[in-house]
């Protein structure tokens, strides 16, 4: 199956700094990637839809100036958490949409654990 | 906006027991339905999906799910669980019609005791 990687897997940063998380589709091209956030014992909440070559579409309540998304190529999307605060600590998961061989499916990355101190 | 409810937070079963995990969604239109599994320390993987056609869907590893439109349900079943089925299971929907954005339930943790 298709593989999606995320880097880093874990990051600890100080309050006020910015953190960049990468999401890569390793063996397929993804025109659309998605960014989710997961709190402990909660479901994945869609934050934004990232489209290659265009601006991301953010879900209601998600600050686009705080969570900067760039989808510069067909295999890479990045999420930058700017001026991070402790309440941004969470598990961030990306997925990439693959369309091939008659199948249309999302493949998920392993997630990035962000801790803001 | 659509929402997804998973009734059980944590299910504990012995090996060979039968499994049924509940999933209900709220959305008035056509939906695509999914079950994902997350094994400990691993990423989400698709178990099965329903887009249209036969409402009884068979997935990987012996799992199946039945779409009952009148009940807005998409329950996951397996006749006989194994210890290796220990994982967290997420039900998800998207409204179809060209939308690929998924709305997830809170997940059900399944623990299978050998």
């Amino acid at each position: 199956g298709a593989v999606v990687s995320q880097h880093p897997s874990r990051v600890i940063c100080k309050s006020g700094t910015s953190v960049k998380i990468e999401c890569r589709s390793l063996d397929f091209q993804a025109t659309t990637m998605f960014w989710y956030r997961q709190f402990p014992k909660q479901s994945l909440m869609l934050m934004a839809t990232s489209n290659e070559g265009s601006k991301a579409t953010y879900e209601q309540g998600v600050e686009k100036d705080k969570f900067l998304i760039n989808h510069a190529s067909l295999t890479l999307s990045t999420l930058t958490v700017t001026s991070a605060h402790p309440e941004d600590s969470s598990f961030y998961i990306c997925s990439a949409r693959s369309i091939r061989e008659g199948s249309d499916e999302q493949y998920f990355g392993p997630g990035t654990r962000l801790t803001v101190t | 906006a659509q929402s997804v409810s998973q009734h059980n937070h944590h299910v504990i079963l012995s090996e060979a027991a039968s499994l049924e995990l509940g999933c209900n969604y709220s959305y008035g239109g056509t939906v695509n339905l999914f079950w994902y599994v997350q094994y400990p320390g691993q990423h989400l993987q698709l178990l099965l999906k329903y887009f249209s056609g036969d409402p009884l869907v068979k997935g990987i590893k012996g799992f199946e799910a039945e779409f009952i439109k009148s009940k807005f349900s998409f329950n996951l079943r397996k006749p006989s669980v194994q210890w290796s089925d220990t994982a967290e299971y997420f039900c998800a929907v998207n409204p179809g019609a060209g939308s690929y954005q998924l709305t997830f339930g809170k997940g059900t943790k399944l623990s299978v005791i050998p």
Side-chain angles (χ1 to χ4, degrees), chain B residues 90-107:
Chain B
F90 293 90
C91 182
V93 304
N94 76 29
S99 170
Y100 308 99
Q101 298 165 329
L102 293 170
T103 299
F104 282 86
K106 290 188 176 182

Side-chain angles (χ1 to χ4, degrees), chain A residues 34 36 38 41-44 46 49 59 91 97 103-106 108-110, chain B residues 9 36 38 42-44 46 49 51 90 94 100-107:
Chain A
F34 302 90
Y36 296 85
Q38 186 179 28
K41 299 184 179 180
Q42 299 290 322
S43 66
L44 284 76
L46 179 66
T49 302
E59 294 300 300
F91 195 55
R97 179 179 169 225
S103 174
D104 186 344
E105 202 167 309
Q106 285 188 42
F108 287 80
Chain B
H9 177 62
Y36 286 88
Q38 187 171 31
Q42 296 189 28
H43 56 275
L44 279 166
L46 181 67
K49 60 186 177 184
F51 281 14
F90 293 90
N94 76 29
Y100 308 99
Q101 298 165 329
L102 293 170
T103 299
F104 282 86
K106 290 188 176 182

Side-chain angles (χ1 to χ4, degrees), chain B residues 1 10 13-14 28 37 46 57-58 76 81:
Chain B
H10 190 185
L13 294 173
S14 297
V37 61
L46 181 67
V57 180
K58 294 193 183 298
L76 180 71
V81 294

